[in-house]
Amino acid sequence: MPFLETEGLGKSFGDTVVLREISLAVEEGETLVLLGPSGSGKTTLLRLIAGFETADRGEVLLKGRSVGRLAPAERNFGMVFQHYALFPHLSVGENVAFGLESRRVGARAVRDRVERALAQVDLAGLADRRIDAISGGQQQRVALARALAPEPEVLLLDEPLSNLDPELRERTRQELASTLARIGITTVWVTHEQEEAFDVGTRVALLHQGGLEQVGRPEDLYRRPATPFAAAFVGRASVLRGRLAGGETAQIEVSARDPVLLSVQAVGPAENGPVDVYVRPEAWEVVESARIGRSFSAEVLSRRFAGRENLVRLQLDSGTEVEVATERDLAPGEKVAIQVRADAARPVAFAVLRDEQ
Amino acid sequence: MGRGGKSRRFWPWILAAGLSWIVGYPLTLTLFEALGLPGSPTLENLRAFAARPDEWLALWRSLWISGASVVLAAAIGVPLAFVFERLEFPGRSILGGLVALPVALPPLVGVLAFLFLYGESGFLTRSVQFLLGLETAPWRLRGAGAILLVHAYSMYVYFYLFTRAALTRLDPSMEEAAASLGAGKTVRLRRVILPLLRPALAGAALLTFMTSLSSFSAPYIFGGGFRVMTTQIVASKLNGETAAAQVETVVLALAAVAGLGALLAFDRRRVAVVGGVRGLAPRRRVLESRRSKLAATALGWALAIFLLLPHLTLTLVSFVPPHTWTIEALPPVLNLSNFAKLLSGGERLRPMANSAWMAMVATVGAVGLGLAAARSSIRVGGKLGTLLESLVALPWAIPGTVFAVALATAFSVNAPFAGRFILIGTPVILPLAYLVRSLPVTGRSAFAGLRQFDDSLEEAAASLGAGRWRTLRRVVLPMLRPALAAGAGLAFITALGDFVTSIVLYTYDTRPISIEILSNLRLQETGIAAAYGVVLMIASAMAFVVWSRKEATS
């Protein structure tokens, strides 16, 4: 039995449907990331689980029992808010103790547990500080310590890193993920950043326009997108227009006579017809000589150095721009031939049926 | 939050009903009774009003006095604000604070101080008479001139404070931009600065107009035969002409609402202190030549002495034993006998105890109701939310005299099923009146505090297992404390020094300090009256300091 479940959870604000029939299961100890662009309903879903919003339809189940009728205060779910929502009139220690006082723990036990919670996030000794006297990164950790101190069943994180500087964000992400893993708490983590989702999520649930697009391990979402939106949203990709011809082969019109044939994975119905082909940057390789029916000739537009490799923007003869990851140092203006690697085990090109009216 | 039981859904309605009962209902009843409703509808009372020239005269005087007060207050307050905001000279910051002083003085105490200073046997009047060797007093502090003097003295502060606040927030780069485009000093003032100050000036004008329309103490003490609407109403009421008082009340209320509407329409933008860019503080021009420095300092201190003179005179008179100061320029005897009498117990202490407990009860009630209304209004929103907000704000636009008569009308009849009880003559009526009058102040501060309040703080408390009351007690109230304390301080000071509603509603047993001052004045006990005035002044100042310090620390 899953630890935490949502069953057909739906919510509208007035005439606007913000969530439609979301059914998800979170296993004990795992971190499920709710990923999606803004307006996808991910925060609403988190707030329904927390109890800050009431669902129009559906259920929230904890260990098989409905918690839908319980007030937020009765659910024993810890939450870290986007802007932390630390109480500015209380000290660091008093903030962490707040949730313990509600639980009728003795004064001494409260002190011990506050110390332990602060130590857990590496803030031992800061209990007497004022909230505005500590840094943004420390505030983030106080918010985590406060949520964890009452030992909640589930931890809910609403874009917990969005309020931090970019340099701090990646380090905090690692620390946060390892703290959660060490405690082994069941976590639901909302973010709109894909890299963050892939980094911290045991599994990722992709939301779009209030609906659930795909749930799976990060590599599943990247390599086997289940929907056109998943193919387009997850990972970087260039889009080529072509026709699907016979299951796993797409023809891309380069010139009237010689289409390039690509082996692709169909997302959604594999009907022959016009398709958009999504190609990941690492799927391209730069080849020495052009091969008819296999490679594209292209001109380098710009190059961006990204550490291990270069990300190069090229323009195909058809005018389409593509992004290619390569170790070669290509200079703008250079003419090259590029082609898509064929790799059945790790599909890197996806064909999505195009609606043509 | 979307969750909540039945009680939570009904609570805003109960609150709206309760507020309507104490705010809207008395006013409506007064209007109805003036029209002879519900029994036999008649326009007879209105006709009687329209037929009396003295009624029209009082209305006209109320309006022109208010208009003239706005002009005078602006003429003093705006230039002062520019001087203190734009020039740098020795003593600027201390004097800048002193200039706002008259606002903390209860109206009746201010009037009393003016009487002792500029009145026929006032300190300054006598000094001038003595110096010039005159037979009689060089002037008489009576009629329109006297009223306008008091209004100008106490109300320029609105213009001064609003204009200074607006000038502080004015983005200096706008003036620099105008200058770089070739605009000279006067063009900059006329085309850039004044238009940007317009919302602040309109706000101050509105406040001044409404305050002087409902002003009662100055016309009552100095008016003599010069009646304005507020004094006309109280005179009718005290003469037992209930019907006339009701019609006059309705007319004054309509005048107030019309004035409010006209001034709001004049400036379509919401009346508020200008909200420009939060830029750098404007640079002050430092006075450099020794002569101008000296002149500014001398003028500044002269101004300060002029502003403090009423307070000082009041204090001086409070030390003068009865019947010892007759024709001398300076009082020959000074001692504490007046204060000793005040503290001698019994009936002398009574007014102070009354004022203290009634103001306290009214303040606590007004803060609680204001907070509850603000919270419900923001929660439920929509029409009900607007209704709650309007009910709380309504007493602001209605002169105190009007409310006093309305409450006297509504609560002098025992009709429990119509929501009317006999409260007149009981100790309930005055605290209730003070509470209603304080609602706009406490309500506005609660609204302001709650609108800035981050909802996720409440959600954080809930997610940590805190219930509704614990969240309120531990998170919402502590965070709103500065806002609520400011509102409560102002409410308490107003209630403590209230004269305008008290004179209509008091009984001997519940008489507050202001009424006691008046009766001592009538008995020629000027020393005692001044001593009560000093007590009121000090208590107000203390309440002000305590609350503003509390505000600073939290």
Side-chain angles (χ1 to χ4, degrees):
Chain A
M1 180 178 56
F3 195 73
L4 176 73
E5 271 178 286
T6 69
E7 256 181 29
L9 221 48
K11 177 78 180 170
S12 306
F13 291 120
D15 293 336
T16 322
V17 179
V18 286
L19 269 189
R20 47 190 110 223
E21 316 285 308
I22 303 291
S23 296
L24 271 176
V26 191
E27 301 299 331
E28 185 160 10
E30 82 167 335
T31 297
L32 179 77
V33 174
L34 304 180
L35 174 68
S38 65
S40 59
K42 56 190 189 305
T43 296
T44 305
L45 179 55
L46 191 77
R47 292 171 59 81
L48 284 173
I49 296 172
F52 297 133
E53 309 282 354
T54 316
D56 300 336
R57 298 170 296 283
E59 272 291 359
V60 177
L61 304 168
L62 181 70
K63 294 185 263 188
R65 284 220 300 272
S66 168
V67 294
R69 290 187 169 280
L70 295 180
E74 299 160 342
R75 293 193 184 189
N76 198 18
F77 290 178
M79 177 132 172
V80 173
F81 293 81
Q82 190 168 4
H83 302 287
Y84 315 142
L86 294 172
F87 306 128
H89 59 295
L90 302 180
S91 70
V92 167
E94 287 168 335
N95 263 281
V96 177
F98 191 95
L100 298 170
E101 292 163 22
S102 313
R103 282 176 172 73
R104 297 173 202 284
V105 188
R108 155 159 269 162
V110 167
R111 215 174 322 126
D112 290 348
R113 280 170 72 173
V114 167
E115 273 308 314
R116 218 180 323 142
L118 285 174
Q120 216 162 37
V121 296
D122 229 3
L123 287 176
L126 292 189
D128 294 329
R129 289 283 186 88
R130 286 174 56 95
I131 291 301
D132 54 14
I134 59 174
S135 71
Q138 288 173 327
Q139 288 180 0
Q140 201 269 348
R141 285 183 288 165
V142 174
L144 180 67
R146 183 179 72 174
L148 289 175
E151 293 170 5
E153 305 257 26
V154 174
L155 182 65
L156 307 173
L157 306 169
D158 186 6
E159 308 239 8
L161 305 174
S162 65
N163 223 9
L164 296 174
D165 297 336
E167 341 47 297
L168 200 58
R169 202 173 296 162
E170 196 172 326
R171 210 184 69 210
T172 312
R173 185 166 84 205
Q174 306 293 346
E175 286 171 359
L176 186 50
S178 66
T179 306
L180 297 182
R182 197 170 63 237
I183 301 168
I185 189 166
T186 310
T187 305
V188 181
W189 179 321
V190 163
T191 183
H192 63 273
E193 288 206 3
Q194 204 181 111
E195 200 187 328
E196 185 177 312
F198 284 6
D199 193 2
V200 301
T202 321
R203 287 183 308 138
V204 175
L206 182 66
L207 289 147
H208 176 52
Q209 291 179 349
L212 191 58
E213 294 279 327
Q214 188 173 1
V215 190
R217 296 174 305 150
E219 50 269 41
D220 296 337
L221 263 72
Y222 192 78
R223 295 194 186 128
R224 309 205 179 276
T227 64
F229 175 78
F233 183 77
V234 177
R236 304 170 76 95
S238 310
V239 185
L240 303 173
R241 292 162 78 91
R243 293 184 69 78
L244 196 62
E248 298 198 334
T249 307
Q251 296 182 353
I252 312 293
E253 304 285 339
V254 186
S255 63
R257 283 176 303 146
D258 310 308
V260 172
L261 299 180
L262 292 183
S263 98
V264 294
Q265 182 199 341
V267 173
E271 286 169 38
N272 290 355
V275 287
D276 283 332
V277 177
Y278 290 82
V279 186
R280 303 265 186 243
E282 69 272 20
W284 293 103
E285 56 185 339
V286 179
V287 289
E288 295 307 322
S289 51
R291 286 161 62 189
I292 290 169
R294 187 93 168 84
S295 68
F296 300 87
S297 53
E299 186 182 333
V300 177
L301 294 175
S302 64
R303 176 169 68 102
R304 184 160 68 87
F305 179 63
R308 197 167 57 82
E309 58 199 3
N310 294 307
L311 281 173
V312 182
R313 286 206 74 78
L314 298 120
Q315 189 169 40
L316 306 184
D317 288 347
S318 60
T320 309
E321 287 183 20
V322 297
E323 192 178 46
V324 173
T326 175
E327 289 173 17
R328 290 185 44 176
D329 292 331
L330 299 174
E334 210 173 321
K335 303 246 185 206
V336 292
I338 56 172
Q339 67 185 40
V340 174
R341 283 174 234 255
D343 187 345
R346 297 185 160 190
V348 277
F350 314 99
V352 174
L353 206 59
R354 197 165 65 227
D355 282 335
E356 285 204 334
Q357 317 285 278
Chain B
M1 270 192 277
R3 112 184 353 270
K6 270 189 182 163
S7 68
R8 251 177 134 173
R9 237 171 297 146
F10 286 124
W11 173 235
W13 289 103
I14 295 167
L15 202 58
L19 282 171
S20 306
W21 179 61
I22 57 170
V23 176
Y25 190 50
L27 293 171
T28 316
L29 275 176
T30 311
L31 176 64
F32 275 28
E33 294 200 359
L35 296 172
L37 295 167
S40 46
T42 170
L43 292 175
E44 199 44 53
N45 296 331
L46 285 181
R47 212 169 287 140
F49 175 90
R52 281 170 56 181
D54 62 318
E55 301 274 30
W56 288 106
L57 194 59
L59 180 60
W60 162 241
R61 282 167 170 168
S62 273
L63 293 174
W64 83 253
I65 286 276
S66 301
S69 300
V70 171
V71 173
L72 281 175
I76 302 173
V78 175
L80 269 182
F82 271 91
V83 166
F84 280 97
E85 204 51 52
R86 290 294 166 95
L87 297 183
E88 184 60 270
F89 51 91
R92 188 191 64 86
S93 64
I94 295 180
L95 284 172
L98 277 181
V99 169
L101 207 65
V103 86
L105 206 60
L108 181 68
V109 179
V111 167
L112 198 64
F114 264 69
L115 189 66
F116 295 153
L117 181 58
Y118 304 113
E120 236 161 300
S121 52
F123 178 55
L124 199 79
T125 321
R126 274 185 211 216
S127 306
V128 172
Q129 188 182 347
F130 186 78
L131 283 175
L132 300 181
L134 299 174
E135 287 286 312
T136 55
W139 60 71
R140 285 162 59 88
L141 191 67
R142 290 208 80 78
I147 297 171
L148 282 176
L149 182 70
V150 176
H151 283 189
Y153 172 78
S154 53
M155 293 172 202
Y156 80 83
V157 182
Y158 299 139
F159 276 95
Y160 171 73
L161 290 177
F162 277 49
T163 309
R164 267 199 84 168
L167 281 174
T168 320
R169 292 189 208 175
L170 207 64
D171 188 350
S173 62
M174 283 204 244
E175 233 189 306
E176 291 165 359
S180 76
L181 293 167
K185 226 176 185 181
T186 44
V187 176
R188 290 206 298 269
L189 185 69
R190 198 165 47 80
R191 296 283 310 278
V192 180
I193 299 177
L194 286 182
L196 285 170
L197 291 183
R198 210 175 69 154
L201 295 178
L206 181 60
L207 200 53
T208 307
F209 188 86
M210 300 304 278
T211 309
S212 56
L213 195 63
S214 39
S215 163
F216 174 74
S217 302
Y220 186 74
I221 303 287
F222 297 131
F226 187 89
R227 288 262 180 84
V228 295
M229 280 314 279
T230 50
T231 45
Q232 183 85 341
I233 291 171
V234 170
S236 301
K237 183 85 186 143
L238 295 183
N239 286 338
E241 300 169 33
T242 311
Q246 280 171 348
V247 177
E248 286 155 9
T249 301
V250 169
V251 170
L252 180 58
L254 290 178
V257 171
L260 185 70
L263 279 158
L264 285 178
F266 173 70
D267 197 297
R268 287 258 182 82
R269 272 176 275 178
R270 270 197 86 114
V271 174
V273 177
V274 70
V277 193
R278 230 185 297 161
L280 308 153
R283 272 156 300 158
R284 297 202 172 88
R285 196 157 62 82
V286 180
L287 293 180
E288 278 176 3
S289 80
R290 252 189 93 195
R291 194 180 294 168
S292 60
K293 238 187 217 174
L294 217 65
T297 314
L299 274 175
W301 286 107
L303 174 72
I305 291 169
F306 169 73
L307 291 173
L308 281 173
L309 219 45
H311 304 72
L312 295 175
T313 310
L314 185 71
T315 314
L316 180 74
V317 174
S318 74
F319 291 125
V320 177
H323 317 299
T324 58
W325 190 11
T326 46
I327 52 155
E328 301 87 345
L330 283 171
V333 192
L334 291 178
N335 60 33
L336 287 169
S337 65
N338 292 321
F339 289 98
K341 262 189 215 155
L342 244 60
L343 298 174
S344 64
E347 286 306 307
R348 294 280 193 197
L349 271 176
R350 185 85 159 258
M352 291 188 277
N354 279 341
S355 276
W357 82 258
M358 292 192 299
M360 190 55 85
V361 167
T363 302
V364 170
V367 170
L369 262 182
L371 180 63
R375 223 165 129 79
S376 293
S377 169
I378 289 171
R379 278 255 167 89
V380 300
K383 284 198 180 117
L384 182 58
T386 314
L387 174 70
L388 282 167
E389 193 173 357
S390 319
L391 280 171
V392 166
L394 182 66
W396 184 81
I398 304 292
T401 313
V402 171
F403 251 108
V405 172
L407 288 172
T409 304
F411 299 116
S412 57
V413 175
N414 190 29
F417 292 110
R420 299 173 73 172
F421 308 92
I422 294 184
L423 299 180
I424 213 89
T426 71
V428 178
I429 192 80
L430 270 182
L432 179 67
Y434 297 166
L435 186 157
V436 171
R437 299 250 295 138
S438 296
L439 265 181
V441 172
T442 58
R444 204 177 325 166
S445 56
F447 268 101
L450 280 173
R451 291 223 162 95
Q452 286 174 1
F453 192 81
D454 181 2
D455 282 341
S456 65
L457 288 173
E458 264 185 80
E459 293 177 354
S463 80
L464 293 166
R468 226 207 302 173
W469 287 109
R470 216 171 91 83
T471 305
L472 187 70
R473 193 170 53 79
R474 291 271 287 148
V475 178
V476 180
L477 285 181
M479 295 207 50
L480 288 184
R481 204 171 58 189
L484 293 182
L490 208 51
F492 185 76
I493 291 171
T494 314
L496 198 67
D498 177 88
F499 178 51
V500 49
T501 48
S502 304
I503 195 166
V504 179
L505 300 171
Y506 82 97
T507 62
Y508 183 71
D509 287 336
T510 62
R511 68 190 189 281
I513 297 180
S514 56
I515 298 298
E516 190 71 5
I517 289 179
L518 188 68
S519 51
N520 276 294
L521 213 52
R522 289 214 174 109
L523 297 170
Q524 304 292 328
E525 292 269 19
T526 49
I528 299 277
Y532 275 117
V534 168
V535 167
L536 209 48
M537 190 169 77
I538 290 172
S540 302
M542 266 171 22
F544 197 71
V545 168
V546 166
W547 264 299
S548 51
R549 181 171 304 164
K550 221 181 198 175
E551 196 176 346
T553 52
S554 52

mmCIF file of all heavy atoms in Angstrom, chain B residues 255 356 442 499 522:
data_model
loop_
_atom_site.group_PDB
_atom_site.id
_atom_site.type_symbol
_atom_site.label_atom_id
_atom_site.label_comp_id
_atom_site.label_asym_id
_atom_site.label_seq_id
_atom_site.Cartn_x
_atom_site.Cartn_y
_atom_site.Cartn_z
ATOM 1 N N ALA B 255 -24.707 67.211 5.251
ATOM 2 C CA ALA B 255 -23.653 68.154 4.866
ATOM 3 C C ALA B 255 -22.292 67.457 4.900
ATOM 4 O O ALA B 255 -21.462 67.636 4.003
ATOM 5 C CB ALA B 255 -23.659 69.358 5.801
ATOM 6 N N ALA B 356 -11.060 57.395 32.583
ATOM 7 C CA ALA B 356 -10.089 56.323 32.415
ATOM 8 C C ALA B 356 -10.776 55.002 32.067
ATOM 9 O O ALA B 356 -10.434 54.348 31.070
ATOM 10 C CB ALA B 356 -9.241 56.168 33.672
ATOM 11 N N THR B 442 -9.312 52.346 14.791
ATOM 12 C CA THR B 442 -8.802 51.003 15.087
ATOM 13 C C THR B 442 -9.033 50.084 13.889
ATOM 14 O O THR B 442 -8.201 49.248 13.575
ATOM 15 C CB THR B 442 -9.492 50.411 16.329
ATOM 16 O OG1 THR B 442 -10.903 50.372 16.092
ATOM 17 C CG2 THR B 442 -9.213 51.232 17.554
ATOM 18 N N PHE B 499 -15.356 65.404 24.328
ATOM 19 C CA PHE B 499 -16.267 66.398 24.876
ATOM 20 C C PHE B 499 -17.567 66.406 24.080
ATOM 21 O O PHE B 499 -18.664 66.448 24.635
ATOM 22 C CB PHE B 499 -15.584 67.775 24.810
ATOM 23 C CG PHE B 499 -16.428 68.916 25.301
ATOM 24 C CD1 PHE B 499 -17.060 68.841 26.534
ATOM 25 C CD2 PHE B 499 -16.583 70.058 24.534
ATOM 26 C CE1 PHE B 499 -17.835 69.890 26.997
ATOM 27 C CE2 PHE B 499 -17.359 71.112 25.001
ATOM 28 C CZ PHE B 499 -17.985 71.029 26.225
ATOM 29 N N ARG B 522 -17.480 77.258 34.488
ATOM 30 C CA ARG B 522 -18.707 78.019 34.774
ATOM 31 C C ARG B 522 -18.694 78.563 36.188
ATOM 32 O O ARG B 522 -19.237 79.614 36.459
ATOM 33 C CB ARG B 522 -19.921 77.107 34.603
ATOM 34 C CG ARG B 522 -20.189 76.775 33.158
ATOM 35 C CD ARG B 522 -21.678 76.650 32.896
ATOM 36 N NE ARG B 522 -21.898 76.471 31.483
ATOM 37 C CZ ARG B 522 -22.291 75.328 30.937
ATOM 38 N NH1 ARG B 522 -22.516 74.270 31.697
ATOM 39 N NH2 ARG B 522 -22.465 75.243 29.647
#
